[in-house]
Amino acid sequence: MNIEDKLFLNRFQVDDTSHLRIVDPKLCLEECRDQPCLYLCPARVYTLEQDGRINAAYEGCLECGSCRIGCPELNIEWRFPRGGYGVRHKFG
Amino acid sequence: MTESCEVAIVGAGPAGISAACILADQGVETVVLERGEFPGSKNISGGVLYGHDLAGIIPDFARQDCPIERNIVESRVWYASDEGGFSLAYRDAIFKEERRLNVFTVGRARFDRWFARQAEKKGALVVCGTLATDLLRNKAGRLGGVRTDRELGDLKARVILLADGINSPLAAKTGFRPDPAPEHVALAVKEIIELPEEIISERFNVSDEDGVSIEILGSVTRGMNGVGALYTNKKSLSLVIGGNLRDFAELKLKPYELIEEFKAHPMVASLIKDGVPREYMAHWLPEGGYEHVPRLFGDGYLIAGDSGMLFNALHREGSNMAMVSGKLAAETILQALKKDDFSEESLSIYQEKLKESFVLKDLKKYRRFPGFLRKHREIFTDLPLSLSMAARDMLTVDGVDKKTKQSRSWKMIKSKTPLLRLARLLFNAWRSVK
């Protein structure tokens, strides 16, 4: 079962605006060698674009916070989604 | 207009709700702020809860429609290699009758909602869909309330209980406690796998009310310091696997691939066969241990539960530490209300209460355990594989004499983990849990 199918099982109340933001995309390109956000995020929020930029698809975020403290450059501005938005557990 | 109350609690998890129950019971004006649409909608645990500590808050919980999944009568521990593993199980009839609900499984979306309703019945106000975005300070710099993301959303309070979980952007922003370092949290992913009730009972050899918990160590975490687990719910299984966040980064493992490999492990696959995945979640476990418990009180505030790193990794106890710390925080607040003094000094009795309880006693006893696992990576790499190869060899009946088998098994184990290293492992293991 791939990650897209896993996220499809969940219920999300998606907000119009993103709760996470890469502060300085240049840092990811020029300074960050390992780019751990690309694999340690359990929802695969972060993906590599063809031009080398990192895209953040906040919609499927599971709100664990791993990218927030796992980014070696601390280059991810991370808030919780607004009250009532984001992932909504059915079983927990 | 600014609302005000006596006690503001951030987070409607087991810590916050426990405190709210105790406070509301005594008639204290208590408001719980919860960012989820309903209490539990953001929460997750491996899946077990402990009756003793829940009864400390709701003595007759079993008669109050508490959403219990299954009563645990058997605990299994596996030490797994890639193709099999060792299994140790303990079952006891006392957990079926006399000590029923000692440990039971729950789904936190339903349990926390029920628990919050008990606090509401006692008079607490639980405000959902409301995110705490900042802490309010008066001119003297003392905490005086919580800012929320609601319009006109400031809530003034005489004292604040921070029960907002291990991942706290609020802590990062206001500094009421340090943000955890990646090596001090484990990232766990969980799947709910649906199966018919009678199939679960049959596969785990239990009645429909009873269940089994399995903790799984070994190569399933692909070399990470971590653990897997499988718990029986009424009509589903909770499958969990997690590892140290720093290890995830260093070994470049993807959590969603790790759980797929875990599902394919032969000892797991047969138990979840034909199950239908229903939900996929992720969360941190606080694994810093005793040395990294932050200061849990200050002028005008207290910290309880996961937010305070109160988690016993060895015994997978967290929800109960949350409930007990929430209760002790509430008792501290009641004393402070009587004195009308919410200074750091007045609230410091919270620390004393925690020290006298099993919460800090257990964390102190196991203070060396997180370091032990970090130091002895072979527990998750070579050791399960070589021990399994030895067991496989000894159990294969092929005409080779046992002495030959024994000596080649030893040789193989020692070639992977030298004798001195093994001795050190055993010594450090004993020392970390003594």
Side-chain angles (χ1 to χ4, degrees):
Chain A
M1 191 181 207
N2 63 31
I3 181 61
E4 286 77 21
D5 291 337
K6 284 187 195 300
L7 294 175
F8 197 68
L9 303 172
N10 294 348
R11 281 197 309 201
F12 292 97
Q13 183 72 37
V14 179
D15 205 348
D16 308 332
T17 54
S18 177
H19 62 284
L20 36 92
R21 183 175 76 91
I22 295 170
V23 180
D24 179 5
K26 252 174 75 182
L27 263 184
C28 307
L29 274 166
E30 290 165 13
E31 302 291 331
C32 190
R33 222 176 26 154
D34 286 338
Q35 303 188 320
C37 60
L38 295 178
Y39 42 87
L40 62 72
C41 169
R44 209 166 76 115
V45 162
Y46 301 92
T47 48
L48 204 56
E49 299 280 293
Q50 277 190 338
D51 60 0
R53 278 183 313 111
I54 290 175
N55 181 49
Y58 71 97
E59 295 87 345
C61 175
L62 298 171
E63 301 167 30
C64 69
S66 299
C67 60
R68 182 167 73 80
I69 66 166
C71 172
E73 308 292 331
L74 295 179
N75 194 26
I76 298 169
E77 188 185 280
W78 201 102
R79 293 176 286 119
F80 276 132
R82 273 195 297 154
Y85 286 89
V87 69
R88 188 190 296 168
H89 294 164
K90 293 177 283 189
F91 188 89
Chain B
M1 192 190 79
T2 303
E3 297 286 336
S4 69
C5 61
E6 286 184 292
V7 185
I9 298 174
V10 183
I17 293 299
S18 296
C21 285
I22 303 288
L23 290 166
D25 244 351
Q26 298 299 315
V28 177
E29 200 188 355
T30 306
V31 176
V32 186
L33 300 170
E34 166 56 46
R35 68 185 184 91
E37 190 199 24
F38 57 85
S41 65
K42 299 288 185 182
N43 303 351
I44 157 178
S45 63
V48 295
L49 211 65
Y50 305 88
H52 174 268
D53 301 308
L54 178 56
I57 314 292
I58 312 285
D60 59 344
F61 69 90
R63 288 188 299 278
Q64 297 293 331
D65 293 324
C66 178
I68 292 161
E69 292 288 328
R70 281 176 191 256
N71 169 54
I72 298 298
V73 292
E74 181 177 319
S75 299
R76 298 180 194 166
V77 179
W78 291 352
Y79 194 43
S81 62
D82 294 348
E83 286 155 90
F86 299 86
S87 173
L88 179 71
Y90 183 72
R91 183 182 284 226
D92 194 328
I94 201 166
F95 297 123
K96 233 180 130 44
E97 303 293 336
E98 200 183 314
R99 292 190 198 161
R100 189 169 183 79
L101 302 182
N102 168 60
V103 180
F104 53 89
T105 46
V106 292
R108 292 281 301 279
R110 286 174 61 209
F111 174 81
D112 290 14
R113 198 173 200 171
W114 168 86
F115 199 20
R117 206 155 47 228
Q118 310 310 305
E120 285 174 323
K121 276 193 217 162
K122 293 173 188 291
L125 182 65
V126 182
V127 185
C128 293
T130 305
L131 177 68
T133 55
D134 206 351
L135 299 174
L136 303 171
R137 289 175 190 279
N138 64 18
K139 284 194 186 106
R142 205 186 154 280
L143 282 189
V146 183
R147 175 149 291 165
T148 75
D149 65 347
R150 288 212 175 187
E151 227 176 302
L152 306 167
D154 286 356
L155 175 67
K156 277 192 178 170
R158 300 177 73 191
V159 61
I160 300 163
L161 176 63
L162 298 152
D164 55 338
I166 176 69
N167 174 27
S168 171
L170 187 65
K173 181 174 176 178
T174 62
F176 68 77
R177 63 150 165 95
D179 230 2
E183 60 269 33
H184 297 148
V185 296
L187 168 62
V189 285
K190 173 174 179 179
E191 256 184 54
I192 298 298
I193 298 170
E194 193 176 83
L195 274 168
E197 193 170 346
E198 61 278 10
I199 299 266
I200 293 173
S201 303
E202 203 180 292
R203 276 185 200 174
F204 290 85
N205 188 23
V206 288
S207 69
D208 285 349
E209 291 79 42
D210 295 334
V212 173
S213 73
I214 313 176
E215 326 293 328
I216 303 149
L217 282 161
S219 67
V220 288
T221 49
R222 296 281 161 246
M224 290 192 295
N225 162 11
V227 67
L230 183 61
Y231 301 126
T232 53
N233 304 313
K234 198 139 216 92
K235 294 172 184 169
S236 67
L237 301 173
S238 291
L239 190 75
V240 186
I241 190 156
N244 187 277
L245 188 57
R246 170 129 303 162
D247 293 354
F248 260 113
E250 272 171 15
L251 297 171
K252 305 196 171 189
L253 294 166
K254 295 175 176 169
Y256 39 89
E257 290 178 1
L258 185 76
I259 198 170
E260 283 306 298
E261 287 176 26
F262 186 41
K263 282 157 82 174
H265 188 280
M267 289 166 80
V268 175
S270 55
L271 291 176
I272 64 169
K273 187 175 171 278
D274 299 327
V276 184
R278 288 293 183 204
E279 190 164 40
Y280 171 68
M281 295 160 284
H283 202 72
W284 289 348
L285 284 76
E287 290 204 328
Y290 187 73
E291 315 286 349
H292 295 278
V293 172
R295 214 168 53 105
L296 297 171
F297 61 95
D299 265 337
Y301 73 92
L302 296 158
I303 304 175
D306 271 11
S307 186
M309 272 271 177
L310 304 176
F311 181 75
N312 177 350
L314 179 64
H315 291 264
R316 47 102 164 102
E317 287 182 26
S319 311
N320 58 335
M321 292 200 164
M323 287 193 252
V324 170
S325 61
K327 184 182 177 182
L328 295 177
E331 288 170 4
T332 304
I333 291 169
L334 289 173
Q335 282 171 273
L337 275 166
K338 248 183 226 157
K339 292 184 284 182
D340 194 27
D341 180 1
F342 299 98
S343 65
E344 184 172 337
E345 200 197 331
S346 168
L347 297 178
S348 68
I349 48 169
Y350 177 47
Q351 185 78 12
E352 300 310 311
K353 287 176 191 287
L354 282 168
K355 271 188 197 162
E356 284 162 28
S357 77
F358 77 91
V359 176
L360 283 185
K361 276 185 185 164
D362 282 359
L363 287 182
K364 192 173 178 191
K365 172 175 158 64
Y366 298 125
R367 66 194 176 281
R368 292 192 182 93
F369 189 66
F372 162 70
L373 292 179
R374 269 200 296 278
K375 238 184 333 206
H376 286 284
R377 195 53 62 89
E378 63 270 26
I379 295 170
F380 308 98
T381 54
D382 293 330
L383 203 58
L385 302 182
S386 50
L387 289 178
S388 275
M389 290 313 287
R392 178 187 280 182
D393 195 25
M394 287 308 281
L395 292 170
T396 303
V397 180
D398 55 3
V400 180
D401 68 282
K402 298 294 186 274
K403 193 173 176 193
T404 304
K405 282 184 184 243
Q406 200 175 320
S407 81
R408 74 185 178 200
S409 284
W410 252 119
K411 229 164 127 188
M412 190 255 310
I413 292 169
K414 284 188 293 188
S415 74
K416 298 276 184 203
T417 319
L419 212 52
L420 193 66
R421 182 87 189 148
L422 268 178
R424 205 172 286 147
L425 171 94
L426 288 174
F427 175 71
N428 286 337
W430 168 76
R431 213 165 143 253
S432 75
V433 299
K434 78 175 164 104

